[in-house]
Amino acid sequence: MTANTDLPGPHAPSAHPVTGLDDVVHQRVRLGILTIAHEARRVEFGYLRAHLELTAGNLSKHLSVLEEAGLIEVEKGYEGRRGRTWITLTAAGNTALADEIERLKLLIARVETTDTREDR
């Protein structure tokens, strides 16, 4: 299959699914954070740190990126005498995750339907 980029107008090929991937969401750790937050609805910082095998500082940086993008909310509080931080997915975060998963499905479908090298 060869891409024809010389066709103008309505006959031009549509953009490749990879062009729709969101760099904020697609990064491995942030995709993991969003996925776990989606599954859990509310997740504690220590749980994310342990399951994603990150340092506290590294996780904090990724959470800041997601929070600044409006994809998560960070809530600080106490459980007993210990300070805790909880993360929840916002509506925008849910949408961004769903969009990313949809793009990934399109990419997978393209790979699965493309002839293998032996077939060429």
Side-chain angles (χ1 to χ4, degrees):
M1 176 176 170
T2 57
N4 186 350
T5 57
D6 297 334
L7 296 175
H11 300 297
S14 60
H16 193 277
V18 76
T19 62
L21 294 174
D22 182 335
D23 290 336
V24 171
V25 175
H26 191 72
Q27 196 281 339
R28 179 186 64 84
V29 170
R30 293 192 290 265
L31 186 56
I33 292 167
L34 294 173
T35 302
I36 292 171
H38 174 77
E39 294 169 341
R41 303 288 184 226
R42 184 176 187 235
V43 62
E44 202 268 326
F45 182 93
Y47 182 91
L48 285 173
R49 187 177 45 76
H51 283 79
L52 295 174
E53 299 178 347
L54 300 169
T55 64
N58 194 337
L59 177 57
S60 290
K61 288 179 184 179
H62 286 291
L63 291 175
S64 293
V65 169
L66 292 170
E67 186 176 29
E68 287 173 19
L71 304 181
I72 62 167
E73 289 180 351
V74 177
E75 173 191 352
K76 295 183 182 272
Y78 287 89
E79 190 173 275
R81 293 182 178 199
R82 298 194 67 193
R84 298 280 190 213
T85 301
W86 293 276
I87 291 84
T88 53
L89 207 53
T90 64
N94 241 338
T95 299
L97 179 61
D99 290 348
E100 192 74 8
I101 297 301
E102 210 41 53
R103 289 287 177 174
L104 290 171
K105 286 178 182 178
L106 290 171
L107 286 170
I108 291 167
R110 288 177 75 117
V111 170
E112 289 177 342
T113 59
T114 303
D115 293 339
T116 62
R117 288 194 181 268
E118 295 79 30
D119 295 338
R120 291 183 192 169

